Amino acid sequence: QVQLVESGGGLVQAGGSLRLSCATSGIIVRSNDMAWYRQAPGKQREFVARITSGGRTNYADSVKGRFTISRDNAKNTMYLQMNSLKPEDTAVYLCATGLLVTYASGGALYWGQGTQVTVSS
């Protein structure tokens, strides 16, 4: 079975940094497109970043220049490095794979449970 488990969330002050991890099983990270999403209470799920099987990346405008998506093929793990964090980054962050053509609006087949990121003012 495909399983994705996020970790690394926590409470940080605005301007700080955090690195999220998405440990996987049942897939080969280097052979799959993967993405990060986030969802704040009462808000729609929002696309954050994607990395393709070919290593190309793309980001939501709101995080471009601050967040970096990457993967470690040997560990079969995906990461999201978050710098210059803002209070509006507060959300549950989820990793996903099995991306559909609608991935930018949340189209994916497999999801992790999410990890909470809280950024204080």
Side-chain angles (χ1 to χ4, degrees):
Q1 296 185 34
V2 175
Q3 292 186 325
L4 301 87
V5 180
E6 303 92 340
S7 62
L11 175 63
V12 298
Q13 191 171 331
S17 297
L18 210 58
R19 189 177 76 157
L20 307 183
S21 298
C22 176
T24 73
S25 62
I27 64 166
I28 304 298
V29 166
R30 77 171 194 173
S31 299
N32 289 271
D33 294 3
M34 299 188 70
W36 286 97
Y37 299 82
R38 65 188 182 186
Q39 188 164 18
K43 297 182 180 179
Q44 284 263 64
R45 186 182 301 148
E46 177 188 17
F47 166 77
V48 175
R50 178 185 67 146
I51 184 165
T52 72
S53 60
R56 292 176 175 154
T57 61
N58 62 288
Y59 300 87
D61 288 341
S62 59
V63 307
K64 199 172 298 180
R66 300 188 298 121
F67 291 10
T68 303
I69 189 171
S70 63
R71 65 189 182 202
D72 185 327
N73 295 331
K75 296 181 179 179
N76 218 32
T77 298
M78 180 179 64
Y79 302 95
L80 184 68
Q81 178 66 47
M82 306 185 296
N83 298 326
S84 302
L85 283 163
K86 306 174 181 179
E88 49 263 48
D89 295 319
T90 295
V92 173
Y93 283 71
L94 307 98
C95 62
T97 192
L99 304 186
L100 307 176
V101 70
T102 57
Y103 78 89
S105 57
L109 298 178
Y110 304 103
W111 296 85
Q113 294 294 310
T115 186
Q116 177 70 47
V117 172
T118 302
V119 184
S120 62
S121 300

